[in-house]
Amino acid sequence: MERQFTLLDGRGTLTVREEGARALVQAELPEDGRGLYKAHLCGGPGGRFLLGTLIPERGALRLRRTLSVDELKRRGVWPPAGAAAELAFAAGERPPAGWSREPNPARLLGEPLLRRSAGKLRGALLSREEDGFSLAFPWRTGEEFPMPALFCFARLERLEGREYAVFSFSGKGCPRMCT
């Protein structure tokens, strides 16, 4: 089975191809200079699964994922009924006061497992503190949680009208409970 969906009023496409127990997903949008987009696979009533961020590649924004069909069924998006893309980070958008953009948050973390987890995320907000730092990742209910291994360490915070999962770290990149 192969299905193709349009993204952003026909400006891009998302293709899902079933190969046995796997689903191969590819999305492409034109590079419009507005920023980075996140793609979602949509299923039955309210089913929505974050696929990830489309990244610049050869003059376009692209995403490729191989996912388990069983996992997509558990998430309520198999068989797929649609797809969506939304602007996640606007180019030139100023970070909230007290924060700066950190394109590679993994470089700040001391634990290899956390570095791998953060390495899958495309950018974060960084706030330097006297005895460490905080990282904030955009997040909304229904989306895959950033850095799930640190779920219990996060606090949800609204920064300039947008929801973030905020994690606090020591100067050596070790997680600390948010207060």
Side-chain angles (χ1 to χ4, degrees):
M1 171 196 82
E2 182 171 304
R3 293 191 181 182
Q4 188 169 39
F5 304 98
T6 61
L7 299 173
L8 298 176
D9 300 320
R11 293 186 320 177
T13 59
L14 185 137
T15 304
V16 181
R17 188 173 69 240
E18 183 178 6
E19 289 187 0
R22 298 180 309 158
L24 306 176
V25 179
Q26 293 186 19
E28 183 174 323
L29 290 170
E31 173 63 84
D32 62 7
R34 292 186 59 214
L36 296 178
Y37 292 83
K38 290 192 181 283
H40 300 264
L41 192 60
C42 303
R48 187 172 160 111
F49 177 71
L50 175 64
L51 295 167
T53 303
L54 287 88
I55 57 171
E57 181 183 302
R58 297 187 313 268
L61 299 173
R62 293 187 168 89
L63 174 129
R64 288 179 202 81
R65 297 273 313 264
T66 301
L67 303 158
S68 157
V69 170
D70 285 340
E71 176 64 18
L72 294 174
K73 286 178 182 175
R74 282 191 293 278
R75 300 283 186 142
V77 296
W78 194 263
E86 60 188 29
L87 187 63
F89 296 102
E93 181 180 276
R94 287 184 178 206
W99 295 86
S100 62
R101 298 242 177 263
E102 174 51 58
N104 182 14
R107 73 179 181 82
L108 301 169
L109 304 178
E111 159 62 38
L113 173 68
L114 297 179
R115 281 196 301 273
R116 280 194 300 279
S117 181
K120 296 176 185 174
L121 302 169
R122 297 285 175 209
L125 295 178
L126 170 67
S127 175
R128 295 277 183 188
E129 298 151 8
E130 186 176 314
D131 60 344
F133 60 93
S134 290
L135 291 173
F137 298 93
W139 180 76
R140 289 189 310 207
T141 302
E143 292 183 349
E144 187 173 332
F145 195 77
M147 303 197 42
L150 295 181
F151 179 81
C152 293
F153 287 81
R155 73 178 183 274
L156 300 181
E157 193 169 320
R158 191 169 196 81
L159 301 170
E160 294 187 2
R162 191 166 188 186
E163 295 293 327
Y164 288 86
V166 180
F167 303 91
S168 183
F169 297 90
S170 71
K172 293 183 179 184
C174 297
R176 297 187 298 200
M177 289 301 267
C178 290
T179 56

